[in-house]
Amino acid sequence: EILESLGTPESVPPLSVWHSQSIFVASKAHQLNVARQLVAEALIERGHCDDARRFLEAAVCDSPTDGEAALALGAFLLRIALYSDTERDPKADKAAQIQLLKAAKLD
């Protein structure tokens, strides 16, 4: 929530790494996605897979060109498809495959 609510500064000192708005916005999106991936991993370890999925999907939705976010979601979907206690679902397998292919194209 803290990173999501962080606005872009009105003025940035010229020696700052974020000397332009676009660099600041991209850096903020990357840091937010990294945080979401860490939270999702912690949720997975505690068995809260639905919540983890929402975090990972939000990361991909907010940054559709972020290969790391796409890979994290694809790996999660594959993990769920392979290790779920229920019978294998071809639709879940296909969703994981598509997401991983998207991640590969972004990389």
Side-chain angles (χ1 to χ4, degrees), residues 33-72:
N33 286 343
V34 169
R36 284 177 171 153
Q37 290 173 34
L38 291 171
V39 170
E41 191 61 38
L43 289 168
I44 291 167
E45 289 176 7
R46 287 166 180 75
H48 301 284
C49 293
D50 290 337
D51 293 331
R53 183 180 189 147
R54 282 192 289 276
F55 269 90
L56 295 171
E57 287 174 343
V60 171
C61 184
D62 286 349
S63 297
T65 60
D66 186 342
E68 290 180 24
L71 179 62

Side-chain angles (χ1 to χ4, degrees), residues 2 6 11 15-16 20 41 45-46 49 52 67 77 83 87 89-90 96 99 101 103 105-106:
I2 293 171
L6 183 64
S11 66
L15 296 177
S16 173
S20 73
E41 191 61 38
E45 289 176 7
R46 287 166 180 75
C49 293
L77 293 174
Y83 299 112
E87 191 174 316
D89 179 11
Q99 189 60 43
L101 286 171
K105 286 181 181 180
L106 290 172

Side-chain angles (χ1 to χ4, degrees), residues 69-105:
L71 179 62
L73 178 58
F76 169 79
L77 293 174
L78 183 62
R79 186 186 316 182
I80 294 300
L82 292 176
Y83 299 112
S84 177
D85 292 336
T86 61
E87 191 174 316
R88 293 279 300 266
D89 179 11
K91 289 181 182 179
D93 292 352
K94 189 67 172 178
Q97 180 185 20
I98 290 170
Q99 189 60 43
L100 289 169
L101 286 171
K102 286 179 185 178
K105 286 181 181 180

